Amino acid sequence: MTALSSTTPHTPISGAPFNFAQHLIECNLARPEKTAYIDDVGTVNYGQLAERIRRLAAGLLAAGVRREERVLLLMHDCSDWPVSFLGAMYAGIVPVAVNTLLTREDYAYMLEHSRAQAVLVSGTLLPMLQEAMAKAAHEVRTIIVSRPEAALPEASVALDTLIAQHAPLAQPATTGPDDPGFWLYSSGSTGRPKGTLHTHANPYWTAELYGKPVLGISERDICFSAAKLFFAYGLGNGLSFPLSVGATVVLMAERPTPAATFKRWIDHQPTVFFGAPTGFAGMLASPDLPAKNQVSLRLASSAGEALPADLGERFTAHFGVEIIDGIGSTEMLHIFLSNLPGKVRYGTTGWPVPGYELELRSDEGGAVPDGDTGDLYIKGPSAALMYWGNRIKSRETFQGAWTKSGDKYVRNADGTYTYSGRSDDMLKVSGIYVSPFEVEATLVQHPAVLEAAVVGIPDTQGLTKTKAYVVLKSGQQVSEDQLKAFVKERLAPYKYPRSIEFLAELPKTATGKIQRFKLRDLDGAAK
């Protein structure tokens, strides 16, 4: 193994050299034998991880990929994912991490939009990539395949072969903290996804401001995230946070079903679990939910959508472990508003994370008093630079030092914030704002309800009325009138859904977010 520099990890300073991949390598020089990753086929320790990162960096440069050019990263969660992501960054190349659940049309667009010069892809996803490449008006130099399952096509190479062919790159690219580090595509419910450009310093700040001080992640932890690495949330959970302190990470390629999640909880005994409300609901509804004494959890984290209080309370009652609910975004990279261990207010998203500033603004841009709903703006060091090739959307979202989240919140008297829905999902019924999330959170408290989504539907006079789409738990039954009465008993009467429709499942994006526009379209098609 080639010797590494013993430079002490440092805080990124504008104008000074900083390479995030090198930073993580330096953080773990003293623990080369410590297990970094456990995936579906084996383990990789920190010494091996550093070696593979630096060898892949050399291989990418030898393949003709130049500094600041993009490489598409289309890979299931496994130890090759962080090697690919950090190997590119070590070489000053920009990885574009993309969702593994999209269509060939999506990937064709992303290839063209990013002008990726190479693709790092899982063997199981290679056929989908080839279909996308056939549709894209853009050619890549090479395809690098992780764990190939068949003979490789022309102009491609196995990732392990490429790594074996090259000595470790001696020094990282002399990037700075504000240099392009990587892209993540936003998961919007409508329109083309936006290529969100993050710097080398941004993941450093999420670890320093949230992973370490709020979640208290340390070398002793074993982290397991249901959210995949290609998500902003998952990237912090499974890479930036644990690798900054020398923790161990459990990765799995398959979907995070309750059964798959429980298997990892029992087999690997993670201490910190990162999930989302839909996943927690499914697990708590499962007859196979493990007992408290079968797991080693000390903490759970939730993001993606606001966590209904009922879910958090039931999880804590069963496991004796808090769910730390927070909100982040692709644009801010990770969580900036969060509950705190030992200080959880279920039903709220907690307090601003130290290092971030929050403002609630009215439609006219003015300050919003406590108790009133306003648009959430954030200021903090992990904000993205822009959306690539999209000046209009960039200006709408990145407003000087502030980032417009697109979420509406209410600030409470104790300084916590309560989620009131997306800016484009808020409903004004009879001149009064109604939060779809508040109604949804009430519906899912009913013992027969698994999931619910509430949208605004225009009536015959063009006035907005609330309609709920409900998914029932297996074997459960409840009538529309019973659910309406249930909501009326718990919320102001005007907030109850005027109509309820039962569905087998809710339409969702590949990231698990409910696609309310499809529900509105569904109602329109029925008329």
Side-chain angles (χ1 to χ4, degrees):
M1 183 181 296
T2 305
L4 292 174
S5 165
S6 60
T7 304
T8 302
H10 59 279
T11 301
I13 300 171
S14 185
F18 182 82
N19 182 291
F20 182 64
Q22 175 68 357
H23 166 73
L24 292 182
I25 289 173
E26 291 172 348
C27 285
N28 296 292
L29 289 174
R31 53 177 75 87
E33 302 303 320
K34 171 78 185 295
T35 298
Y37 284 100
I38 304 169
D39 69 10
D40 296 338
V41 300
T43 65
V44 172
N45 65 36
Y46 274 102
Q48 294 166 333
L49 181 65
E51 181 90 355
R52 287 173 67 80
I53 287 168
R54 295 167 63 231
R55 285 180 179 272
L56 180 61
L60 288 170
L61 294 173
V65 185
R66 298 172 296 183
R67 178 168 169 171
E68 295 188 8
E69 289 183 330
R70 273 77 63 194
V71 293
L72 201 75
L73 175 50
L74 173 59
M75 195 177 290
H76 292 303
D77 278 18
C78 67
S79 62
D80 284 347
W81 202 106
V83 168
S84 300
F85 185 83
L86 295 173
M89 293 184 74
Y90 191 89
I93 295 164
V94 179
V96 179
V98 298
N99 193 323
T100 58
L101 303 173
L102 303 180
T103 66
R104 62 183 181 183
E105 288 76 18
D106 292 318
Y107 298 132
Y109 168 76
M110 291 170 176
L111 285 167
E112 294 173 355
H113 183 244
S114 68
R115 297 191 286 278
Q117 296 302 301
V119 181
L120 295 131
V121 61
S122 290
T124 53
L125 294 170
L126 182 58
M128 174 69 79
L129 172 68
Q130 290 175 299
E131 292 177 12
M133 291 177 64
K135 293 180 68 68
H138 170 76
E139 293 186 8
V140 300
R141 285 197 179 96
T142 187
I143 303 171
I144 301 165
V145 184
S146 166
R147 303 176 183 178
E149 296 192 327
L152 295 179
E154 188 177 352
S156 64
V157 60
L159 186 143
D160 282 345
T161 300
L162 185 67
I163 286 174
Q165 288 173 343
H166 296 279
L169 190 63
Q171 296 294 331
T174 54
T175 52
D178 298 330
D179 281 355
F182 58 96
W183 291 18
L184 300 173
Y185 274 98
S186 66
S187 56
S189 298
T190 59
R192 289 291 196 183
K194 300 180 289 293
T196 310
L197 175 53
H198 281 282
T199 69
H200 272 263
N202 285 2
Y204 167 91
W205 288 116
T206 63
E208 293 299 313
L209 296 178
Y210 191 69
K212 294 179 184 179
V214 176
L215 298 181
I217 292 176
S218 74
E219 181 182 11
R220 297 183 296 276
D221 279 312
I222 300 174
C223 299
F224 173 45
S225 176
K228 301 299 185 179
L229 287 163
F230 57 74
F231 297 132
Y233 179 48
L235 182 65
N237 306 340
L239 192 149
S240 306
F241 295 178
L243 267 56
S244 69
V245 297
T248 295
V249 184
V250 176
L251 297 177
M252 70 174 181
E254 65 185 297
R255 289 178 56 248
T257 62
T261 300
F262 298 156
K263 183 179 190 314
R264 273 70 181 186
W265 281 5
I266 293 170
D267 289 352
H268 301 301
Q269 295 294 303
T271 57
V272 183
F273 174 71
F274 302 86
T278 298
F280 284 115
M283 288 187 289
L284 288 170
S286 171
D288 299 320
L289 184 70
K292 177 182 178 180
N293 62 6
Q294 291 181 279
V295 303
S296 297
L297 297 176
R298 70 166 182 84
L299 190 70
S301 168
S302 179
E305 292 184 299
L307 179 75
D310 177 64
L311 286 180
E313 290 163 356
R314 288 164 53 207
F315 189 91
T316 299
H318 183 86
F319 289 109
V321 170
E322 296 172 321
I323 299 179
I324 309 303
D325 184 31
I327 183 174
S329 67
T330 303
E331 291 76 11
M332 294 302 297
L333 192 56
H334 214 276
I335 290 171
F336 48 79
L337 174 64
S338 178
N339 279 273
L340 306 172
K343 192 180 179 182
V344 171
R345 301 286 187 273
Y346 284 133
T348 80
T349 317
W351 296 264
V353 172
Y356 293 91
E357 295 180 44
L358 273 60
E359 287 186 359
L360 294 183
R361 301 179 187 175
S362 67
D363 292 342
E364 294 74 34
V368 172
D370 287 0
D372 286 1
T373 299
D375 290 301
L376 179 65
Y377 287 74
I378 314 102
K379 181 165 68 174
S382 62
L385 291 175
M386 63 176 173
Y387 299 128
W388 182 264
N390 195 333
R391 177 176 288 192
I392 292 174
K393 288 294 184 182
S394 292
R395 285 179 170 177
E396 288 177 3
T397 300
F398 305 107
Q399 301 181 15
W402 293 89
T403 300
K404 183 178 181 180
S405 70
D407 296 294
K408 284 189 178 288
Y409 266 87
V410 173
R411 187 178 186 274
N412 305 310
D414 63 355
T416 60
Y417 287 71
T418 300
Y419 182 64
S420 293
R422 291 289 297 172
S423 298
D424 53 0
D425 286 334
M426 284 294 289
L427 306 176
K428 210 166 191 179
V429 180
S430 300
I432 305 172
Y433 271 123
V434 174
S435 165
F437 176 76
E438 185 180 24
V439 182
E440 292 163 6
T442 303
L443 283 165
V444 298
Q445 291 177 30
H446 192 284
V449 175
L450 178 64
E451 290 183 299
V454 173
V455 298
I457 302 298
D459 64 11
T460 55
Q461 299 179 11
L463 299 174
T464 298
K465 303 297 181 185
T466 51
K467 179 173 183 176
Y469 290 87
V470 171
V471 178
L472 297 181
K473 295 176 183 176
S474 178
Q476 296 292 316
Q477 289 186 336
V478 64
S479 71
E480 180 177 353
D481 288 341
Q482 287 173 322
L483 281 183
K484 287 179 179 179
F486 183 83
V487 175
K488 286 180 181 179
E489 291 172 0
R490 287 158 177 78
L491 297 179
Y494 70 86
K495 294 183 178 181
Y496 85 95
R498 299 312 193 264
S499 61
I500 297 175
E501 184 173 339
F502 296 95
L503 298 177
E505 60 181 6
L506 299 177
K508 296 175 182 176
T509 67
T511 63
K513 293 183 180 179
I514 295 168
Q515 293 175 305
R516 288 176 173 81
F517 75 98
K518 286 192 176 180
L519 294 174
R520 288 188 284 266
D521 292 345
L522 183 66
D523 184 84
K527 292 181 179 178

